[in-house]
Amino acid sequence: MPTIKDVSKLAGVSVATVSRYLNKNGYVSKEAAETIAEVIEKLNYRPNNIARSLAGMKTATIGLMVPDILNPFFPELARSIEDAANEYGYTVMLCNTDNDSAKEQKYIDTLIQKQVDGIIISSYTIKPEHLTGLQKQSIPVVLMDNVFSSDSIVSLTVENRQGGELAVQHLLERGCSKIAHICGPLSITSSRDRTAGFEHACRGTDWFTPSLIGYSDFTVKGGYTAMMDLLALHPNLDGVFASNDLMAAGALKALQETDHKVPQDVKVIGFDGIGLEMLNPELSTIAQPIYKLGKTAMDSLIGLIRKESDIMTDQVFPVTLHAKQSTMN
């Protein structure tokens, strides 16, 4: 098997230059980079990541922890992170935690044993001590869709509260006069913020009552059940804002089964902006910039791995209204 020394000798550069090229860390001239790339291809050289990790070098792998891989939001997020990681020469290890804190801790232990260079965590059950524990072991962490009151943790979120307000404003502008809300789990920060936005936008109306808020679990089935319960309490409601697109899809199913026409009788809007083109009518949604979130998460993690000093620790991204058939008639 060819070694890094073989590449160095044939390319006419130092081993350190080849190492900087492989790790994408440090300056390598364009001419040297092109020569090294040609030699690597000619020799079919493959870096020995195990040997590199034993030598205290980087393994060029990162961990990605998500709570529910069946939710289309997370495969879209994983794709953007993987694309960005590939540009940096990194491989992604995907861990699906099923919102299980014990499983989450097991994955963290496994990723530490695998000597990953860093971890991106999208979790509703992660605790601050888990993150600080990783940092104490010099493992960089980027947290997504969650915020802890710590200046040392890089976190990426979106304008959840503003998104909830935007959804209600859109329904009001479309002529709705009694709007219900399907809230996600109250243990989740983003869910609470979206509901807070809904309540703020409804404040002062003569129709709002707390019973217009139903509770679910971010699933299609949960959205369906919550919608049925809301219809039983408020058969004259004419608008629904669900805290994610899957619950909105469940709400659409419930409305169709109870002979409510969407959007003529009831208008529905979700949150996330995931690809659900198969729904009929197509779902209006408050869209998160999913691809940008994933790329920024990977960029930030690389910055932490390289010990850069100018990384923002609390990044908040705007959301966008995507009005489609479920609210437009």
Side-chain angles (χ1 to χ4, degrees):
M1 293 289 291
T3 67
I4 191 171
K5 290 183 179 179
D6 297 326
V7 175
S8 166
K9 183 177 180 180
L10 190 57
V13 298
S14 68
V15 170
T17 300
V18 178
S19 178
R20 289 197 299 273
Y21 172 82
L22 292 172
N23 291 306
K24 301 185 183 297
N25 187 9
Y27 175 75
V28 178
S29 70
K30 182 179 179 182
E31 294 77 10
E34 290 174 351
T35 302
I36 293 169
E38 291 173 0
V39 171
I40 285 174
E41 184 175 357
K42 181 178 180 179
L43 296 179
N44 195 29
Y45 169 73
R46 294 292 181 269
N48 187 333
N49 285 338
I50 295 177
R52 293 167 75 196
S53 64
L54 290 173
M57 299 173 69
K58 304 300 182 182
T59 60
T61 59
I62 66 126
L64 170 60
M65 295 172 57
V66 300
D68 181 12
I69 200 64
L70 294 179
N71 183 334
F73 176 86
F74 294 106
E76 289 189 33
L77 182 67
R79 174 60 186 273
S80 63
I81 290 171
E82 186 179 45
D83 285 350
N86 185 60
E87 292 181 4
Y88 286 111
Y90 277 70
T91 300
V92 179
M93 296 177 61
L94 179 63
C95 306
N96 176 53
T97 67
D98 290 321
N99 287 304
D100 183 332
S101 58
K103 191 174 181 181
E104 193 167 68
Q105 185 59 59
K106 184 177 179 180
Y107 272 131
I108 288 174
D109 294 340
T110 299
L111 292 171
I112 292 172
Q113 292 172 7
K114 295 289 185 183
Q115 295 183 301
V116 295
D117 296 340
I119 307 176
I120 297 173
I121 300 177
S122 180
S123 166
Y124 304 137
T125 55
I126 197 76
K127 294 179 173 58
E129 54 265 31
H130 292 153
L131 302 181
T132 54
L134 287 167
Q135 290 177 326
K136 287 178 181 178
Q137 298 189 61
S138 299
I139 299 176
V141 178
V142 171
L143 183 63
M144 303 194 70
D145 202 26
N146 210 336
V147 178
F148 292 129
S149 56
S150 172
D151 293 336
S152 65
I153 297 173
V154 175
S155 63
L156 276 63
T157 56
V158 301
E159 295 176 339
N160 288 296
R161 182 183 175 108
Q162 293 90 329
E165 295 180 17
L166 184 59
V168 175
Q169 290 166 2
H170 174 65
L171 291 173
L172 290 172
E173 290 170 0
R174 298 305 303 162
C176 294
S177 57
K178 191 173 186 179
I179 301 168
H181 173 53
I182 302 177
C183 173
L186 291 176
S187 59
I188 300 173
T189 302
S190 58
S191 179
R192 295 197 302 271
D193 288 346
R194 293 169 195 177
T195 298
F198 167 82
E199 291 177 321
H200 183 265
C202 294
R203 188 177 300 164
T205 64
D206 57 3
W207 49 262
F208 176 71
T209 172
S211 63
L212 278 167
I213 301 177
Y215 298 89
S216 182
D217 57 0
F218 276 165
T219 67
V220 173
K221 182 178 180 181
Y224 174 90
T225 301
M227 188 72 255
M228 286 296 195
D229 292 342
L230 286 166
L231 287 171
L233 289 172
H234 301 282
N236 62 335
L237 64 83
D238 58 4
V240 180
F241 163 47
S243 271
N244 83 342
D245 288 342
L246 290 185
M247 293 191 301
L252 281 175
K253 182 182 180 190
L255 289 165
Q256 290 166 346
E257 287 187 5
T258 53
D259 295 325
H260 289 82
K261 295 180 180 179
V262 179
Q264 293 87 344
D265 300 330
V266 182
K267 294 175 172 56
V268 180
I269 186 168
F271 198 114
D272 278 343
I274 58 178
L276 294 176
E277 290 82 3
M278 76 291 293
L279 290 181
N280 185 21
E282 284 190 85
L283 181 66
S284 293
T285 185
I286 303 300
Q288 301 191 54
I290 301 175
Y291 202 90
K292 185 175 182 180
L293 280 168
K295 184 179 186 313
T296 304
M298 190 63 208
D299 290 343
S300 298
L301 189 64
I302 290 295
L304 291 173
I305 291 170
R306 294 177 178 175
K307 302 185 185 305
E308 297 173 359
S309 60
D310 58 346
I311 302 166
M312 294 177 59
T313 56
D314 188 5
Q315 303 181 52
V316 183
F317 294 78
V319 292
T320 309
L321 168 67
H322 288 185
K324 297 187 179 180
Q325 295 171 348
S326 68
T327 59
M328 306 296 288
N329 63 338

